[in-house]
Amino acid sequence: MNKVSAVTVNGKEAPFSLKHDLTKLKLPEGSDVHQHHLLRTKLDGILHAADVGGELAISFPKGVRVESQKEPSSFVTSQPTANGGTSDPGTPAAAAAAALPTANPFGVGITYAPITVRIDFTLENPNMGLYFVGCDHDDKRYPHCFTTNTPIPGATSSWIPCMDGLWDRCTWEFEFTVPKSMRHAINAPPSTVGSVDTVVTDAERPGTPNTAEDIDITVICSGDQTDERSHPTDRSKKIVSFALASPVAAQHIAFAIGPFTRTSLTEFRDSEEDDAMGMSAVEVLGYCLPSREPDMRNTCAFVYKAIDFFVREYGSYPFTNFKLCFVDEAPVRALASASLAICSNDVLFPADVIDRMYEVTNALTYTLASQWVGVNIVPKGWEDMWIVVGLGYYITGLFMRKLMGNNEYRFRLKKEAEEVCRQDVGRPSLLYHGIMAPFDYEALNFIALKAPVVLHILERRLTKSGGSLGLSRAIPKLFLQAMTGDLVNGCLSTAYFIRTCEKISHTKLDVFTDQWIYGTGYPVFKITQRFNRKKMVIEITIKQDQTTAILPRPLDAENFVQEALKYNRYEEPPEINPIFTGPMTIRIHEADGTPYDHVVEIKDALTKVDIQYNAKYKRLKRKRRQAMKPGFVVAPNSDGTSDTPAAEQEIVLQCLGDVLQTEEDAFLWKLTDWTKDEEDRMSAEAFEWIRIDADFEWICTSSVNQPEHMWISQLQQDRDVIAQYEAVHALAANKENPIISTTMIRTLMDTRYYYGVRLEAAYALAKSATEELEWIGHFHLNKAFRDLFCYENSTIPLPNDFEDFTRYHVMCAIVEAISRIRDHQQKAPAGVKQFLLGLLKYNDNSGNDYSDAFYLAKIMGALAETLVSSEATISQFTFDFGDNENNDAGFSEAVVQEIERCQRMDQWLPSYQNIISRKAIEVKEILANNRLIKPNFREYLAYTQEENFDPLRMKAFDALVNLGALRQPSLAKYVFFALTSDPSPLVRRHLVKTILRGFGDVAIGGRPQSAGEGAGLDDMIIEEESGDIAAEERRQALARANPGGAIEALQREISESDLLKKLLWDAANSTELDLLSRRDLLDLCQLLFTTKDSYVVKLKLPKPRLRATYLGKGKVVFKKELPWPKPPRKQEVKKEESPVTSMPAPTIKLKLPTLKIKLGGGGGGGGGA
């Protein structure tokens, strides 16, 4: 924690006061969970300190005045220094010289002379903002430290006194004193442990390479390194200086210190690209811990392409270089600061890992994009956060399109739009989300999802309104204004952004902003179409049905606390907009195959439009399937003409999905084609198919009453990947039939399709695996896998070969699709389970250049799902008294044995990030929750130990809590002990989420029965359940489905456990946790416990004793009292002597002082602002 020892202003000592001391952010002993509101008041004072005057108040000493100066000065330099180790006499352990911005920082009007404020402070045991890793004696990792920033006040000011507001921007200079190398750090005196240059005191630390002493200590900081020199008095140390000339906020300052290896990531740029960039080329540097350099090179090989793309498209880079530093135990995946990104080592992956390519590339590209918008440009207010986040992800997506292709970009954008529709139920608007500051990174997830999609549809509408260049012109203009200073203080507001777009496109955007930025929800379109042959028009009706079609989100464990808090605050969900307006493009592919676009203006809830038919209406014979079959030839004459009349000639349609066309293929694959009568009816159609919103201008869900054959035509003939995706989903939603299954298997086997469409086709095939269709979908999936990945005429898989990434993804998709097959009892067929178990048994990766860890994890997860589905139906009352139960039990044992074999292999030869062990824990948790196996808590506890990989530990903690650890005193104590004492901030933060989710499970589903507590199948007794009991259970389940009933149910459960109350309060009252974690725990306390303004205060009784008199209004008077007189000893009276008469004790009157103590509303704690 920061402890300020002295403050000087212009060299003169100044009086100061510290309003908030994090070490005192707790209530004294004697308080309990019923005083959570008192602690929350203190916490809110710190979280909002930047908005209410700050934490450190400094008074000007005599002789210091604010004076004007003739020469204008925009900003004055802030000069924080960090000195570690043994300080010179009279020099503080750490000092910061910070200067305030001038009173008029933009050079307009009067300017004032800078005022230099020097703050001497020490930093002890920080729990946020600055993290130390590998500094314990038994820690095997390399010692290093790094900073983190969050979009809340207090992240940076927790390790250095500063103006920690997002809009308090200034230039910076840093000076660090650190050991020269690991050898000097190891031999440093123990007294320096805990300072900025924290060292290892054990020269024989386990796991450290013998060459560690030769590794230099490197400092990476925001800005440019200006100097590196030896310490003037201690030759084992060096002083490294940095300067940042561009004014940025304190939370965009970061540094890292440790034995990092430096790599130039621009060396991947070839000479031609280097020449093309010229002077605009930006240097990109990567820093990682020893032995991680190959992974960093593989992970960051694309970064130079990204920065070149941004420079070419959006103008000059705001800083001089870009640095990526990878550290252990980073609380989030990647944090962007000025010219530096602090990233977690977890994002690094070797060259043999396939599955993390897109995810990590997108995340690192966003940190780079944040240099333009996010660091150099900041939101003008918290409500404008959406535009900054949205622009960063939008230009990130544009680079991903250039890197991975347009199909990948559009396919993922469509999936993101669907996810927006799934999540945007009862949520506030994009603009309102920002008002919820301070917030953590999870609160940004929805904004990061919706904002770039909204910007995409804005781009589509701008480009269609008069030929404007849209955002491709608006964004570079904003970036240029930020560089030249025209964008005041680099602050971008929603209104300014919209105004810029309107000027460029000459289009008013009031309606758009009201619906998509200030408004909530999304439209639900129901479209009907009919061809009017008499008028030769296509009659289309578009109806908006969002008010009835969008149902409230069900309450689940993940969102229980947030929804319950809204319920307690009487927050009503925002009203759904009944009418969305705007242009919609309808594309009609007419009978001659020509597409015609028609722009329809949606103005009302019901829109009817008649679209004129363009082609001459006459019946044209079109050959669909037969034209592709071998042997079918339209014989021409010698001059190239045909004797067939033109009206009777058949149009041969070359299309996708034309594989498996021979009669032999049809027999082997059990394919079904259209009959002659069906083809004749289809030939009579006036058009091929209709596409709604063909230009992707809406975030919506839609349904079109289009017949099945039109969807198939759209899938096979439309080259747009979104059209193909929509066709697959529409066919999957139709009633299953052999034609759909045949179409899906041809789509899956046609390599010309984009691989994402092939994956969706595989999932659609699982819906055709029904008993009514003789399991045709299962047959198609099974045969596809055997033909592609198994030995001939065998179900034994071939050795893995993942050279073709598309084949790898198809392979995984088929496995997942097969695991979704269910019979009429919703049980997985025996053939499905045996097939998946065989894949796990006979997997061979010996000759593969790529890791199969993720593939094995998917097989294990698929097996678990099939077992759970079969067990879940055992409780249903059926008359199937065969050996299914015994077979399921035996199969479960075989699956667990195979999974444990993979788990042991992962212990001997660890997979990438222990993905197999993590999946094994998850699978065993699922099986234990469904009472297929007994939980092995010892195994989970072993995985939670600190020496294990953090994601593996978090998975083990999840399993413990989900299996009832909070209901067992010893395990509950262990979980909360780890929460407050674990050295990893990532694990601590994850534990908070896990505990909240655990309470949510209890609230929604009641107290779940521990695995192994119930009767097994052998002990099952069928009893007739009382109607009253069944009705009561249904009533309770219905009550728990809404926030009010779930809160009451949880309160009843927790009221029975005094231990959970104490553990929860101790964690919320602990100063070891970060502020956001404590806030989340206090939110839970607010839901569960009533408030009490009084609690017992324990004081040591002095001698003489004190007597307290309550005077009212929080005033208590304490008066000293004489000690109680000791009783006289009983004296023995001899018979021969007369008794002694006792003399009265003398009375002494003293005038005692009176002590008055005024108790404020804080209940005895430290004063809160």
Side-chain angles (χ1 to χ4, degrees):
M1 303 297 176
N2 274 329
K3 292 186 177 180
V4 179
S5 57
V7 177
T8 60
V9 178
N10 285 353
K12 296 184 178 181
E13 186 174 353
F16 65 91
S17 62
L18 190 61
K19 296 182 180 179
H20 304 292
D21 187 352
L22 292 181
T23 60
K24 298 180 180 179
L25 184 59
K26 59 181 180 180
L27 296 185
E29 185 181 355
S31 60
D32 57 22
V33 288
H34 297 287
Q35 283 79 48
H36 58 82
H37 62 298
L38 302 179
L39 183 58
R40 183 59 184 262
T41 302
K42 290 186 173 186
L43 181 64
D44 288 342
I46 294 180
L47 290 176
H48 298 280
D51 302 326
V52 294
E55 299 175 87
L56 181 63
I58 303 174
S59 301
F60 273 23
K62 293 183 179 180
V64 177
R65 295 182 300 173
V66 178
E67 299 178 349
S68 61
Q69 62 178 12
K70 296 182 180 180
E71 297 181 0
S73 176
S74 296
F75 286 92
V76 271
T77 304
S78 193
Q79 298 178 327
T81 61
N83 302 314
T86 304
S87 304
D88 295 335
T91 301
L100 302 178
T102 57
N104 196 345
F106 307 110
V108 180
I110 303 175
T111 58
Y112 298 92
I115 298 174
T116 302
V117 180
R118 178 185 175 90
I119 303 171
D120 297 342
F121 71 98
T122 57
L123 182 64
E124 298 178 0
N125 300 323
N127 61 3
M128 63 179 294
L130 180 63
Y131 295 100
F132 292 87
V133 180
C135 299
D136 294 335
H137 297 170
D138 56 349
D139 199 329
K140 299 179 181 180
R141 293 169 297 182
Y142 288 96
H144 58 286
C145 71
F146 57 92
T147 61
T148 63
N149 59 70
T150 56
I152 65 168
T156 306
S157 59
S158 63
W159 59 269
I160 184 173
C162 62
M163 298 180 66
D164 202 7
L166 185 62
W167 305 278
D168 299 319
R169 296 154 67 92
C170 61
T171 58
W172 298 80
E173 290 182 4
F174 283 92
E175 190 174 277
F176 299 89
T177 301
V178 297
K180 288 185 177 180
S181 67
M182 285 288 294
R183 175 172 57 86
H184 295 102
I186 291 173
N187 296 329
S191 60
T192 62
V193 176
S195 61
V196 173
D197 59 339
T198 300
V199 299
V200 183
T201 59
D202 186 3
E204 303 296 333
R205 69 177 298 149
T208 303
N210 296 329
T211 58
E213 296 183 356
D214 300 326
I215 302 177
D216 291 337
I217 298 296
T218 304
V219 180
I220 309 104
C221 183
S222 298
D224 302 319
Q225 183 173 335
T226 58
D227 186 26
E228 181 175 335
R229 62 188 186 276
S230 296
H231 194 279
T233 60
D234 189 346
R235 293 300 179 182
S236 66
K237 297 181 181 180
K238 59 183 177 182
I239 301 175
V240 187
S241 303
F242 290 85
L244 180 60
S246 302
V248 298
Q251 74 175 48
H252 292 142
I253 293 298
F255 70 84
I257 303 173
F260 296 107
T261 300
R262 168 175 166 164
T263 301
S264 175
L265 299 177
T266 49
E267 65 183 21
F268 297 104
R269 185 189 292 135
D270 57 35
S271 57
E272 294 182 359
E273 294 173 327
D274 205 14
D275 294 339
M277 293 300 299
M279 297 296 293
S280 299
V282 180
E283 184 181 21
V284 182
L285 300 174
Y287 295 86
C288 63
L289 295 172
S291 75
R292 300 306 300 268
E293 185 176 359
D295 293 349
M296 183 180 68
R297 285 178 172 273
N298 177 74
T299 305
C300 302
F302 72 93
V303 176
Y304 81 92
K305 295 183 179 180
I307 201 166
D308 291 350
F309 172 82
F310 291 144
V311 169
R312 285 194 301 266
E313 296 293 328
Y314 304 114
S316 302
Y317 179 64
F319 308 102
T320 56
N321 58 25
F322 180 62
K323 302 175 283 289
L324 288 160
C325 182
F326 296 90
V327 299
D328 288 328
E329 292 187 357
V332 292
R333 186 164 51 183
L335 288 167
S337 61
S339 76
L340 171 63
I342 303 291
C343 307
S344 171
N345 271 332
D346 296 346
V347 305
L348 296 177
F349 61 93
D352 64 347
V353 171
I354 300 173
D355 297 73
R356 302 206 64 195
M357 286 184 180
Y358 187 92
E359 168 199 357
V360 173
T361 301
N362 188 73
L364 295 183
T365 302
Y366 175 71
T367 62
L368 176 58
S370 299
Q371 301 300 307
W372 277 269
V373 54
V375 176
N376 194 48
I377 295 178
V378 297
K380 188 173 183 179
W382 288 119
E383 66 275 8
D384 302 308
M385 177 65 74
W386 80 270
I387 186 62
V388 173
V389 175
L391 283 175
Y393 278 105
Y394 177 76
I395 64 177
T396 296
L398 296 182
F399 168 72
M400 298 300 291
R401 179 176 66 181
K402 178 177 178 60
L403 183 67
M404 298 189 171
N406 192 53
N407 281 346
E408 181 82 12
Y409 171 72
R410 287 178 59 79
F411 183 81
R412 290 185 179 270
L413 192 64
K414 178 64 177 177
K415 301 278 279 190
E416 289 169 1
E418 290 182 344
E419 185 64 19
V420 170
C421 294
R422 191 185 69 84
Q423 295 189 21
D424 196 5
V425 179
R427 289 182 178 270
S429 66
L430 283 176
L431 201 72
Y432 182 75
H433 265 87
I435 303 177
M436 297 168 63
F439 44 79
D440 57 15
Y441 282 88
E442 293 179 14
L444 294 174
N445 288 344
F446 181 73
I447 295 178
L449 174 66
K450 183 177 179 179
V453 184
V454 170
L455 291 177
H456 169 78
I457 64 175
L458 174 62
E459 158 72 14
R460 298 302 302 160
R461 296 194 181 183
L462 290 177
T463 53
K464 295 185 69 174
S465 60
S468 169
L469 295 177
L471 293 182
S472 61
R473 183 180 174 188
I475 295 175
K477 183 177 181 180
L478 292 173
F479 290 177
L480 179 61
Q481 290 175 343
M483 295 287 288
T484 58
D486 294 337
L487 194 64
V488 178
N489 203 25
C491 295
L492 178 62
S493 67
T494 301
Y496 188 87
F497 171 75
I498 296 300
R499 189 163 58 249
T500 301
C501 293
E502 290 178 337
K503 289 181 180 179
I504 290 174
S505 63
H506 306 288
T507 304
K508 297 298 291 182
L509 297 174
D510 295 343
V511 176
F512 180 88
T513 55
D514 289 342
Q515 293 176 165
W516 299 106
I517 299 175
Y518 301 103
T520 64
Y522 61 92
V524 177
F525 294 119
K526 292 184 178 180
I527 299 101
T528 58
Q529 55 82 23
R530 186 179 73 89
F531 179 67
N532 190 325
R533 298 191 180 187
K534 184 177 180 180
K535 296 181 179 180
M536 295 296 290
V537 297
I538 302 174
E539 300 172 347
I540 297 179
T541 301
I542 303 174
K543 179 183 178 181
Q544 298 190 42
D545 195 29
Q546 52 266 24
T547 54
T548 58
I550 299 179
L551 301 176
R553 283 192 303 167
L555 194 64
D556 57 30
E558 294 289 344
N559 67 358
F560 165 72
V561 174
Q562 290 76 15
E563 295 299 324
L565 289 173
K566 293 179 182 177
Y567 176 84
N568 280 352
R569 292 193 294 259
Y570 302 101
E571 289 186 14
E572 294 293 335
E575 294 184 1
I576 299 176
N577 188 355
I579 301 175
F580 284 79
T581 61
M584 175 182 288
T585 301
I586 299 178
R587 181 172 298 160
I588 301 177
H589 291 255
E590 297 190 0
D592 59 355
T594 305
Y596 293 92
D597 286 355
H598 307 271
V599 178
V600 177
E601 192 70 25
I602 307 296
K603 297 181 179 180
D604 301 307
L606 183 65
T607 302
K608 294 184 178 181
V609 61
D610 294 340
I611 297 178
Q612 187 65 43
Y613 192 72
N614 291 281
K616 292 182 179 180
Y617 179 72
K618 63 178 181 179
R619 183 182 179 190
L620 296 177
K621 293 182 179 180
R622 302 182 304 269
K623 210 64 175 178
R624 298 174 182 272
R625 294 278 180 257
Q626 288 78 3
M628 306 304 170
K629 294 180 180 179
F632 182 86
V633 179
V634 178
N637 296 326
S638 59
D639 59 354
T641 63
S642 175
D643 294 333
T644 308
E648 298 181 7
Q649 288 184 10
E650 296 177 339
I651 301 173
V652 178
L653 300 177
Q654 300 290 341
C655 58
L656 297 172
D658 56 0
V659 298
L660 305 177
Q661 293 292 327
T662 66
E663 293 182 0
E664 182 182 2
D665 290 335
F667 174 76
L668 294 176
W669 288 81
K670 298 182 181 180
L671 304 178
T672 303
D673 282 320
W674 303 107
T675 64
K676 183 67 167 60
D677 293 340
E678 290 172 334
E679 288 202 351
D680 290 341
R681 286 196 300 269
M682 290 186 292
S683 298
E685 295 284 357
F687 53 88
E688 291 287 339
W689 70 90
I690 295 179
R691 279 197 64 197
I692 303 299
D693 189 23
D695 287 344
F696 199 176
E697 302 168 86
W698 291 79
I699 303 173
C700 66
T701 60
S702 61
S703 60
V704 186
N705 68 331
Q706 193 167 238
E708 188 177 282
H709 67 269
M710 289 189 177
W711 288 115
I712 294 177
S713 296
Q714 177 175 323
L715 173 62
Q716 295 178 341
Q717 298 177 40
D718 202 316
R719 292 300 190 262
D720 186 4
V721 67
I722 294 181
Q724 297 166 5
Y725 174 79
E726 291 174 344
V728 170
H729 272 251
L731 290 171
N734 284 354
K735 182 175 176 55
E736 302 84 3
N737 61 67
I739 290 291
I740 293 179
S741 186
T742 297
T743 304
M744 293 298 105
I745 190 58
R746 282 174 169 155
T747 303
L748 175 62
M749 300 301 291
D750 192 345
T751 57
R752 293 171 298 177
Y753 277 106
Y754 168 69
Y755 81 94
V757 176
R758 297 174 66 191
L759 306 190
E760 296 299 323
Y763 302 142
L765 275 170
K767 297 183 178 181
S768 297
T770 62
E771 190 173 358
E772 293 77 8
L773 298 179
E774 298 180 350
W775 306 102
I776 186 63
H778 183 197
F779 172 81
H780 283 157
L781 286 170
N782 205 339
K783 184 164 179 57
F785 192 91
R786 292 202 314 268
D787 281 22
L788 292 174
F789 309 111
C790 292
Y791 288 100
E792 188 175 356
N793 299 324
S794 173
T795 58
I796 304 298
L798 290 165
N800 295 333
D801 183 6
F802 299 158
E803 284 291 339
D804 187 340
F805 293 171
T806 297
R807 282 174 57 89
Y808 167 73
H809 289 299
V810 169
M811 186 181 188
C812 296
I814 293 177
V815 170
E816 184 177 352
I818 290 177
S819 70
R820 297 180 181 181
I821 297 175
R822 300 292 182 268
D823 59 16
H824 65 281
Q825 295 183 357
Q826 295 304 307
K827 297 175 60 176
V832 168
K833 295 186 285 189
Q834 291 294 343
F835 171 78
L836 295 175
L837 182 60
L839 293 183
L840 195 60
K841 279 185 177 180
Y842 302 116
N843 179 71
D844 181 7
N845 204 58
S846 57
N848 191 13
D849 293 333
Y850 295 91
S851 169
D852 65 344
F854 286 90
Y855 174 60
L856 287 176
K858 290 174 182 177
I859 297 176
M860 293 162 62
L863 271 171
E865 292 301 322
T866 60
L867 290 172
V868 169
S869 66
S870 62
E871 176 65 19
T873 56
I874 290 177
S875 60
Q876 297 180 359
F877 186 76
T878 65
F879 291 97
D880 186 5
F881 296 107
D883 295 331
N884 290 337
E885 291 84 354
N886 295 331
N887 292 338
D888 286 341
F891 186 78
S892 300
E893 293 179 2
V895 169
V896 171
Q897 290 176 3
E898 197 61 31
I899 289 176
E900 289 181 343
R901 179 185 67 85
C902 296
Q903 200 172 355
R904 288 192 297 270
M905 291 294 296
D906 194 47
Q907 293 173 356
W908 299 330
L909 298 173
S911 59
Y912 171 72
Q913 295 189 354
N914 296 118
I915 185 66
I916 293 178
S917 293
R918 287 156 58 189
K919 196 65 179 182
I921 292 174
E922 179 182 335
V923 167
K924 289 183 177 181
E925 174 202 332
I926 294 173
L927 299 181
N929 265 327
N930 289 272
R931 292 189 288 276
L932 287 167
I933 62 174
K934 292 184 178 181
N936 186 352
F937 289 112
R938 292 182 181 272
E939 179 184 13
Y940 301 139
L941 289 172
Y943 279 119
T944 61
Q945 300 304 306
E946 295 178 7
E947 61 269 14
N948 291 319
F949 185 55
D950 281 349
L952 180 62
R953 300 179 60 211
M954 292 187 291
K955 183 65 70 174
F957 276 118
D958 288 345
L960 281 175
V961 174
N962 294 340
L963 291 174
L966 298 182
R967 299 189 305 275
Q968 301 187 22
S970 58
L971 292 179
K973 291 178 181 179
Y974 176 74
V975 170
F976 277 92
F977 173 78
L979 172 64
T980 56
S981 62
D982 196 273
S984 172
L986 184 64
V987 173
R988 292 198 302 267
R989 184 63 189 156
H990 182 82
L991 268 175
V992 173
K993 295 190 296 183
T994 300
I995 291 172
L996 295 183
R997 187 176 63 249
F999 279 101
D1001 283 331
V1002 176
I1004 297 171
R1007 178 178 297 179
Q1009 188 178 33
S1010 297
E1013 290 180 1
L1017 292 176
D1018 296 336
D1019 303 325
M1020 185 173 62
I1021 300 175
I1022 300 177
E1023 295 182 355
E1024 182 179 358
E1025 191 177 50
S1026 170
D1028 294 339
I1029 297 177
E1032 178 64 18
E1033 290 181 351
R1034 288 193 296 269
R1035 188 193 66 78
Q1036 291 182 4
L1038 185 62
R1040 291 175 183 269
N1042 66 80
I1047 293 173
E1048 292 179 1
L1050 183 59
Q1051 289 174 344
R1052 288 194 302 268
E1053 299 281 356
I1054 300 304
S1055 63
E1056 302 173 5
S1057 175
D1058 293 334
L1059 176 63
L1060 277 182
K1061 293 181 182 179
K1062 184 179 185 306
L1063 293 175
L1064 188 59
W1065 177 244
D1066 290 344
N1069 209 29
S1070 172
T1071 58
E1072 299 299 324
L1073 287 179
D1074 63 271
L1075 300 182
L1076 291 180
S1077 296
R1078 298 179 68 181
R1079 183 193 66 178
D1080 292 344
L1081 293 175
L1082 288 174
D1083 285 342
L1084 181 60
C1085 293
Q1086 179 183 342
L1087 294 176
L1088 300 180
F1089 310 109
T1090 58
T1091 60
K1092 294 181 181 179
D1093 293 330
S1094 62
Y1095 56 90
V1096 177
V1097 178
K1098 295 181 179 180
L1099 300 174
K1100 290 185 177 180
L1101 290 177
K1103 295 182 179 180
R1105 297 183 310 113
L1106 295 179
R1107 183 177 65 184
T1109 304
Y1110 181 62
L1111 302 180
K1113 296 184 179 181
K1115 294 184 179 180
V1116 180
V1117 176
F1118 291 87
K1119 293 184 177 180
K1120 292 183 179 180
E1121 288 187 348
L1122 289 175
W1124 290 100
K1126 295 182 180 181
R1129 292 183 180 181
K1130 188 176 181 180
Q1131 298 181 359
E1132 295 182 357
V1133 181
K1134 296 181 180 181
K1135 294 180 179 181
E1136 64 274 14
E1137 295 180 3
S1138 62
V1140 179
T1141 304
S1142 58
M1143 299 294 295
T1147 302
I1148 303 176
K1149 295 184 179 181
L1150 297 175
K1151 188 177 181 180
L1152 301 178
T1154 301
L1155 176 63
K1156 292 186 179 181
I1157 298 178
K1158 183 177 180 180
L1159 299 181

